[in-house]
Amino acid sequence: MRLRAAAAAALLLALPACTTGPSLEDRGEVTAPPGDSKHLTIGSAGFTESDLLAQMYAQLLNQAGYQTSLITVANRELYEPALESGQIDVVPEYAATFADWLNARTNGPDAPPVGSPDLTTTMRALRRLATPRGLTVLDPGRAVDQNAFAVTAAYARRHHLRTLSDLGASGLKVRLAAGDECVQRPYCEPGLKKVYGIDITGIDPKGVGTTQAKRAVQSGQDQMVLTTTTDATLDQFGLVLLADDRHLQNADYVVPVVNRARAGSERVTKALGKLNDVLTTADLASMNQQVDSWRRLAQDVARTYLRDKGLLK
């Protein structure tokens, strides 16, 4: 596997000429037979989990006989057009978030969201939006990185809480540590009130899953924190997730997205599909912890995981 820092700079310089994807008159070409390039560039969005997924994709593709390069382009506004143009061939994405992003890009920023808590509905919308852009969305696995809500383990024990429904039924007043946008987001304060009947008394604007936010809950200043399902540090703060048992959150399952003309072959699909059989949300959280807390390299963590699961020789 070759890590090409120079390629990132070259890519960014080249992107302005290809930010619109296939032209309307050319989009019929996406029905042409999928390509199978020998060298594939795997994109990462630059955060730990994306780096880990990109590393696993690259190592699986190497084993399948491809040469791979990794490139980091942290801004979706840049890497998605590069994926369309074939400068990037494969990226790990999140189904509902990517569906809504493509929808806004296709139909305007005020277009109604197409992502939903239902994975089948979300994938149908995502593929409908991706295909005209020359992109193929492969099947999702079991791993999902969604918004999630955590309380202290002691608080959960004291009030017999396992789910968000339990919290709503308890009648407890809850101050929530989150981003200030939580006040308006339908999957945050409004959804917690409407779907679960939770009595949110206020938002403490300390960010999503930040150390400051978790410490506020740990100390009792706040009762609950907005984080994610793959947060690797909850144990350090004595926190536990409450299950989203009524499925408030969208279906942000991990999905590989490929440039059809370069990486749409059955061989690529088969190589990456092996991860779907084993990778879980808990696995992702564990790997995130190894990188973020134990300071291991993402490449090494990915390789160890794949070998332990029998996917690498």
Side-chain angles (χ1 to χ4, degrees):
M1 198 185 316
R2 294 171 294 161
L3 302 176
R4 300 187 304 176
L11 172 63
L12 294 176
L13 290 173
L15 282 175
C18 59
T19 55
T20 59
S23 65
L24 291 175
E25 60 269 24
D26 293 336
R27 286 189 177 176
E29 296 178 6
V30 299
T31 59
D36 192 26
S37 301
K38 294 180 180 179
H39 180 275
L40 299 175
T41 299
I42 318 300
S44 166
F47 57 94
T48 296
E49 188 168 291
S50 187
D51 289 344
L52 284 162
L53 289 164
Q55 288 284 354
M56 286 190 285
Y57 289 1
Q59 292 176 31
L60 288 170
L61 289 168
N62 286 341
Q63 181 165 265
Y66 295 93
Q67 291 182 318
T68 62
S69 300
L70 271 72
I71 188 170
T72 298
V73 185
N75 190 320
R76 187 179 276 115
E77 283 76 8
L78 294 179
Y79 74 68
E80 189 279 331
L83 183 63
E84 289 187 27
S85 72
Q87 292 173 293
I88 294 176
D89 302 306
V90 185
V91 296
E93 263 293 356
Y94 300 91
T97 294
F98 196 45
D100 284 338
W101 192 87
L102 285 180
N103 185 47
R105 189 163 181 248
T106 302
N107 299 311
D110 296 326
V114 295
S116 81
D118 182 74
L119 179 59
T120 300
T121 300
T122 297
M123 288 296 296
R124 188 181 301 120
L126 174 54
R127 284 171 166 153
R128 184 177 64 247
L129 290 159
T131 298
R133 296 183 176 276
L135 306 179
T136 296
V137 182
L138 305 186
D139 289 339
R142 293 180 287 165
V144 58
D145 190 349
Q146 298 168 301
N147 286 342
F149 297 91
V151 298
T152 66
Y155 184 85
R157 285 194 302 271
R158 185 164 63 250
H159 298 290
H160 310 289
L161 306 176
R162 296 181 60 188
T163 69
L164 290 170
S165 288
D166 292 341
L167 182 57
S170 73
L172 293 165
K173 296 185 181 300
V174 175
R175 180 172 163 88
L176 176 63
D180 53 11
E181 69 277 4
C182 179
V183 175
Q184 297 179 325
R185 294 283 172 87
Y187 310 116
C188 201
E189 180 182 353
L192 291 173
K193 289 181 175 179
K194 181 178 179 180
V195 174
Y196 288 108
I198 297 173
D199 187 2
I200 304 293
T201 61
I203 301 298
D204 188 2
K206 287 183 164 60
V208 179
T210 63
T211 297
Q212 184 184 21
K214 290 171 190 171
R215 284 178 176 163
V217 176
Q218 184 183 38
S219 70
Q221 177 183 340
D222 300 326
Q223 287 71 53
M224 189 163 68
V225 59
L226 169 62
T227 182
T228 66
T229 51
T230 59
D231 190 323
T233 64
L234 293 177
D235 286 348
Q236 298 175 25
F237 298 90
L239 303 178
V240 294
L241 294 179
L242 296 180
D244 179 21
D245 54 309
R246 296 183 185 173
H247 307 293
L248 171 64
Q249 302 305 319
N250 275 348
D252 259 330
Y253 285 76
V254 174
V255 290
V257 183
V258 304
N259 178 288
R260 177 183 171 87
R262 290 183 49 82
S265 70
E266 182 62 28
R267 193 157 63 112
V268 169
T269 299
K270 184 177 179 180
L272 297 181
K274 292 178 179 180
L275 199 56
N276 288 352
D277 297 332
V278 298
L279 185 65
T280 67
T281 303
D283 291 341
L284 272 180
S286 174
M287 286 189 281
N288 285 338
Q289 182 180 37
Q290 291 177 57
V291 175
D292 291 337
S293 299
W294 303 355
R295 302 305 179 192
R296 293 188 62 196
L297 295 176
Q299 181 176 357
D300 295 338
V301 172
R303 182 182 298 109
T304 299
Y305 177 80
L306 294 176
R307 285 178 174 168
D308 287 348
K309 296 297 182 179
L311 300 184
L312 278 188
K313 296 178 181 178

